[in-house]
Amino acid sequence: MSKSEGGLGGRIGAKRDNQKLYLANVWYSWHRFTDSIKNVCETEWNNKKQDVLRYFTTVHQLVEFVSLKLLIISALPMVLYLTIFNSYLVLKETFHLPEEPHLILPALEYGIFHCLPHQILARWWNSGFDILAAVPYLIHFPLPAFFIIYCVIIRKQRSVPLIYQYLWCVGWTNIVAVLIQFLFPTAPPWFNDSAVFGMDGEIISAAPNEAAFQRIDALIGIPWFKNLYGKSPLKYGSFPSLHVAWPTVVFLHQPWLSNKVGLAHVLWITWAALYSSHHYLIDAIGGISVVLIVKLGMTHVWEPFSKKKSSEVVVEPATTATAGHRYQRLSSCTKAV
């Protein structure tokens, strides 16, 4: 064997040894990494185990406390609303519902306020305000779920009757509002401010459904609001505003944290609705009015959760202190006699 062949073989052997050493180091590093992850997870679980178990115990107790019958009854109006709303196209053809929007809202609002508040707010637009207005719109659809989860986690068992009443109220609010929108379709500000009509009254052009939120779509590069509003079967449902109605229902059912926070949410979504040209101020007032009417009906007419059934009344066992207190009262009554 020549010296060159021997040197080549030695280099190949050294290269293989280096590769084996590299793979061994990679394996050792990976093993140390996985052990570190395991140790961190075990430590974190040991620290949080009691909290997690306590949480699941609370949820289990809450589920036992919930009446499935009352929960289904309270959700029926919301299910009915979703059925009616998603059947709009069928109902429109069946009952010949009006298709052309009424254009009375601008004149009505100007007659009441002597101005169009949404146009005043829309003049002061910028990217910061656009984002601030988009946030309450993005949390609008999951809002009922958020509020129920908040009640379950924070208020626990005492929130159960409140959840029944909240679902019942928001469901009937939606039904009343959507029936008004079906029978009396009204055009939102973005349509009235941009629509161009032909000689025969046909619409030649109009702004997109997402209105001012098209700037958000352009900012993030995703047609989020365009897709969101393009899927709605009801194009002309400006009055009353359910965007304002939903936070109002929350406000009337012990809102998050405090009444001030609940009121701030109502004012926030009202400002966002006007700023984005999705609603008139009178739409917001109409949404609040519908909620108040439904709530008054629940209070003074009927709702199925006002009185607990005898089987659902929780009887607390008498403690030593309460027994002693009763004994003292009984003794004092005996002495008086």
Side-chain angles (χ1 to χ4, degrees):
M1 181 182 293
S2 63
K3 293 182 177 180
S4 61
E5 291 177 349
L8 179 61
R11 287 194 298 271
I12 293 175
K15 185 176 182 180
R16 289 177 177 174
D17 292 340
N18 291 335
Q19 289 177 346
K20 291 180 180 179
L21 181 60
Y22 173 75
L23 291 176
N25 289 332
V26 170
W27 174 252
Y28 177 72
S29 300
W30 174 254
H31 187 68
R32 289 187 60 186
F33 173 73
T34 54
D35 284 346
S36 300
I37 295 296
K38 180 181 177 182
N39 292 334
V40 169
C41 292
E42 288 179 350
T43 303
E44 191 67 21
W45 167 248
N46 291 331
N47 293 334
K48 300 293 184 181
K49 180 168 61 176
Q50 296 299 327
D51 294 337
V52 173
L53 294 177
R54 190 181 303 110
Y55 171 76
F56 280 108
T57 301
T58 301
V59 172
H60 178 70
Q61 292 174 350
L62 182 64
V63 170
E64 289 183 343
F65 191 76
V66 171
S67 168
L68 182 60
K69 177 182 177 181
L70 293 180
L71 184 63
I72 293 175
I73 293 175
S74 64
L76 283 178
M78 179 63 79
V79 174
L80 180 59
Y81 156 73
L82 292 174
T83 304
I84 295 174
F85 182 79
N86 292 317
S87 305
Y88 169 68
L89 297 178
V90 176
L91 294 174
K92 183 179 69 173
E93 297 296 330
T94 303
F95 297 100
H96 305 287
L97 299 176
E99 297 184 21
E100 296 299 324
H102 296 277
L103 307 178
I104 192 176
L105 292 183
L108 183 61
E109 183 149 296
Y110 195 86
I112 296 174
F113 304 109
H114 302 288
C115 67
L116 297 176
H118 77 278
Q119 291 184 351
I120 298 175
L121 295 177
R123 293 174 189 169
W124 304 94
W125 70 272
N126 57 60
S127 298
F129 283 170
D130 289 345
I131 296 173
L132 187 62
V135 171
Y137 265 75
L138 290 176
I139 65 175
H140 169 73
F141 294 102
L143 181 63
F146 287 165
F147 183 64
I148 291 174
I149 292 173
Y150 169 82
C151 290
V152 169
I153 294 176
I154 302 300
R155 295 166 180 160
K156 300 181 175 60
Q157 291 185 358
R158 59 191 174 89
S159 71
V160 173
L162 183 70
I163 292 174
Y164 297 153
Q165 294 176 353
Y166 168 76
L167 286 173
W168 186 263
C169 185
V170 76
W172 280 109
T173 296
N174 290 341
I175 291 174
V176 173
V178 81
L179 290 178
I180 295 174
Q181 293 169 355
F182 281 7
L183 300 175
F184 189 76
T186 49
W190 61 262
F191 179 85
N192 290 326
D193 294 345
S194 64
V196 178
F197 296 90
M199 297 296 295
D200 54 355
E202 294 184 358
I203 302 172
I204 299 177
S205 64
N209 291 15
E210 61 271 24
F213 290 140
Q214 62 181 319
R215 297 194 293 265
I216 295 292
D217 290 348
L219 181 65
I220 64 178
I222 302 174
W224 178 273
F225 283 98
K226 181 179 180 180
N227 295 335
L228 182 65
Y229 285 96
K231 295 178 181 179
S232 176
L234 183 61
K235 186 176 182 180
Y236 304 115
S238 182
F239 180 90
S241 171
L242 282 175
H243 285 99
V244 178
W246 284 17
T248 305
V249 177
V250 173
F251 176 71
L252 295 180
H253 293 83
Q254 300 179 18
W256 359 65
L257 302 180
S258 67
N259 289 333
K260 292 181 179 179
V261 175
L263 180 60
H265 189 186
V266 176
L267 296 177
W268 183 17
I269 190 64
T270 301
W271 168 82
L274 271 64
Y275 171 82
S276 62
S277 296
H278 273 95
H279 288 286
Y280 293 99
L281 180 56
I282 196 170
D283 298 338
I285 297 173
I288 295 173
S289 300
V290 170
V291 175
L292 294 177
I293 291 172
V294 171
K295 190 62 178 176
L296 286 174
M298 291 174 58
T299 304
H300 298 288
V301 181
W302 180 79
E303 53 99 357
F305 320 108
S306 57
K307 294 182 180 179
K308 287 186 177 181
K309 295 181 180 180
S310 58
S311 60
E312 295 175 344
V313 176
V314 179
V315 180
E316 297 183 356
T319 62
T320 305
T322 55
H325 182 63
R326 291 173 183 171
Y327 176 76
Q328 290 177 357
R329 287 192 301 171
L330 181 61
S331 300
S332 62
C333 292
T334 305
K335 292 178 179 179
V337 174

